[in-house]
Amino acid sequence: MLTALLFLSLFVWLAILFDASAGFRKLERLEDEAEQINGPLLSIIVAARNEEENIESSIISQLKQNYKNIEWVLVNDRSTDKTGKIMDQLRETDKRIKIIHIQELPKGWLGKNYALYTGTKEAAGELLLFTDADVQFQEQTIGKAISYFTNNKLDHLTAAPNLYGRSIMLQSFIAFFMFGFSYYKRPWMANRPTSKTGMGIGAFNMLTKKAYHAFGTHEAIKMRPDDDLMLGKKMKEMGHHQRMVTAMELLEVEWYRSLKEALIGLEKNTFAGLHYRISMVLFAIAGVFLSQVLPFFTLFSQDHIALSAANILLLAIVYTLIIKRMTAFSPLPFLLFPITALVFIYSIIRASFLTFKRGGIIWRGTKYRLSELREKRS
């Protein structure tokens, strides 16, 4: 039985290696695009709740863009800190900024999704950009994105930023998350015209206003904590022209400040990513353990040394391939791979258990009932 599992794991990683190798050849770098200075009006919409530590520096980095034709719609989503005040102060420094203060959340909406939707109502641009309140932009980012968007006649463009972490363990966890995200979600599929697999990343989702309304706006995903992914998914399913690029040198975000924060942050969307199904949770736990932890244990079994070593070698190759394309890290965190895999399994169990225990998720201080989340999951 153990031999059969190791053989199966080996074939799975071989298939993933070939798939990822071919896929990454279609995944372009936004840094390689020529910069455009003038063009269509872009409305950048930022929803923020209790982001007083990040929002000022993020918006200032956006205001420094070389691209000229931009407006900003900053939406204060019921913040209890100084976020709203900081937004108002930014408005005084640049008249291209519009401010919306939301006081109450309508029933049937997640806070961020309602804030972004509300922001689009004030957006005058023919292009929209949804981004988060903690993303740092280089000056050429928007100009290169607009150029890539128009040259490729896109309806939707999403870009992967550089995620950074302060500690070695957090960096290892981020790298492992991107590793798992890449082989599970296969983001390169967004660039295949015949594929229905879409992709959206919260740090950078640019789309035409026409396409946004065609897919149903955020009303179509109003109870999805993974709204960014679902936006990309629905855009692709509707046949809109979509591309994903990497932008490691143009966009940067501190995903979480500590491993503890990462585990808390994943509470909101881990179960959603597994479609709120226990069967998917069990499948994910078993899959990660058997394919990414077990070979490190069986390496010490005399009967399985060769198979285990082959699995670990393939894991290292796939890991290195993904980390080099989807992060700015070196592959060295692979040395902590089995430990990080166990931490990831713990995060799945923890998030699922807490969601059941609480009867829903708590996101930015607001509780959303599991029954409602399941009802609106499509």
Side-chain angles (χ1 to χ4, degrees):
M1 180 66 174
L2 195 54
T3 301
L5 286 172
L6 289 170
F7 264 118
L8 177 61
S9 177
L10 195 64
F11 284 119
V12 168
W13 290 120
L14 273 172
I16 290 173
L17 176 60
F18 287 123
D19 184 41
S21 297
F24 281 134
R25 284 198 286 271
K26 300 292 185 181
L27 194 60
E28 297 177 303
R29 287 168 20 101
L30 190 57
E31 290 84 353
D32 297 332
E33 182 70 21
E35 185 180 9
Q36 187 171 325
I37 303 300
N38 287 299
L41 177 62
L42 173 69
S43 297
I44 300 181
I45 303 168
V46 183
R49 178 171 169 83
N50 296 340
E51 288 281 2
E52 64 180 10
E53 293 185 13
N54 302 307
I55 190 165
E56 184 173 13
S57 62
S58 175
I59 299 304
I60 288 175
S61 75
Q62 296 175 37
L63 294 173
K64 294 178 179 178
Q65 293 302 296
N66 296 329
Y67 188 79
K68 303 301 182 187
N69 204 11
I70 312 177
E71 67 166 11
W72 281 263
V73 183
L74 308 184
V75 187
N76 173 24
D77 176 23
R78 303 164 294 137
S79 295
T80 56
D81 64 2
K82 297 179 182 177
T83 297
K85 183 178 179 181
I86 293 170
M87 286 182 175
D88 290 334
Q89 291 171 345
L90 287 166
R91 171 70 178 86
E92 292 303 314
T93 67
D94 199 309
K95 299 307 179 184
R96 296 174 296 173
I97 297 175
K98 302 174 184 177
I99 307 293
I100 300 172
H101 295 284
I102 294 176
Q103 304 299 330
E104 294 184 3
L105 179 64
K107 185 176 174 149
W109 280 89
L110 292 183
K112 178 188 174 186
N113 300 354
Y114 180 69
L116 291 175
Y117 171 70
T118 302
T120 63
K121 294 182 177 180
E122 295 297 321
E126 63 181 272
L127 296 180
L128 307 175
L129 172 61
F130 300 117
T131 187
D132 294 329
D134 55 355
V135 181
Q136 295 293 320
F137 286 63
Q138 293 299 316
E139 295 176 0
Q140 320 98 298
T141 305
I142 297 301
K144 287 178 177 289
I146 293 284
S147 176
Y148 189 92
F149 194 99
T150 54
N151 288 340
N152 289 281
K153 299 181 172 59
L154 299 183
D155 301 303
H156 176 227
L157 172 67
T158 194
N162 173 38
L163 301 178
Y164 73 93
R166 303 183 186 188
S167 69
I168 297 298
M169 196 60 211
L170 180 58
Q171 290 174 14
S172 177
F173 188 78
I174 292 171
F176 186 89
F177 180 86
M178 293 307 300
F179 168 74
F181 173 84
S182 296
Y183 75 71
Y184 179 59
K185 293 294 186 180
R186 303 170 71 206
W188 48 82
M189 295 298 291
N191 295 341
R192 296 183 183 176
T194 57
S195 169
K196 290 296 183 182
T197 301
M199 180 53 54
I201 297 172
F204 197 96
N205 267 321
M206 180 183 286
L207 64 165
T208 65
K209 185 183 286 186
K210 181 179 178 181
Y212 177 69
H213 285 284
F215 100 88
T217 74
H218 274 85
E219 283 193 288
I221 51 175
K222 59 186 178 181
M223 286 299 292
R224 292 292 311 203
D226 52 351
D227 60 293
D228 48 358
L229 280 169
M230 288 303 296
L231 184 151
K233 179 176 181 288
K234 288 188 173 292
M235 290 286 287
K236 188 75 176 198
E237 287 175 349
M238 291 187 65
H240 292 299
H241 192 193
Q242 180 185 88
R243 286 279 183 90
M244 176 187 169
V245 295
T246 61
M248 304 295 160
E249 298 171 18
L250 297 172
L251 295 166
E252 185 172 72
V253 59
E254 185 175 21
W255 195 41
Y256 294 106
R257 289 176 294 183
S258 68
L259 182 58
K260 181 180 178 181
E261 278 195 13
L263 294 175
I264 293 171
L266 290 175
E267 290 173 13
K268 74 179 186 298
N269 53 18
T270 298
F271 204 22
L274 296 171
H275 309 294
Y276 302 110
R277 290 163 54 188
I278 292 296
S279 59
M280 288 294 294
V281 171
L282 295 175
F283 179 78
I285 292 170
V288 172
F289 182 81
L290 293 175
S291 67
Q292 297 162 54
V293 178
L294 185 63
F296 290 90
F297 285 104
T298 55
L299 184 63
F300 300 98
S301 168
Q302 198 167 24
D303 296 333
H304 302 98
I305 292 177
L307 265 178
S308 300
N311 268 273
I312 293 170
L313 178 61
L314 265 178
L315 270 173
I317 293 171
V318 175
Y319 180 92
T320 300
L321 174 67
I322 291 174
I323 295 313
K324 280 184 169 289
R325 290 294 281 114
M326 296 298 292
T327 77
F329 299 145
S330 80
L332 283 178
F334 185 76
L335 297 174
L336 297 172
F337 189 89
I339 298 171
T340 316
L342 289 171
V343 173
F344 187 72
I345 290 173
Y346 168 73
S347 76
I348 296 174
I349 296 171
R350 182 180 184 276
S352 303
F353 172 75
L354 288 176
T355 302
F356 272 108
K357 181 181 178 182
R358 295 165 176 165
I361 62 172
I362 297 175
W363 188 9
R364 299 279 184 172
T366 303
K367 181 176 178 178
Y368 305 99
R369 291 184 296 112
L370 181 58
S371 57
E372 197 170 14
L373 292 166
R374 278 175 160 162
E375 181 185 349
K376 305 290 185 181
R377 70 178 181 270
S378 62

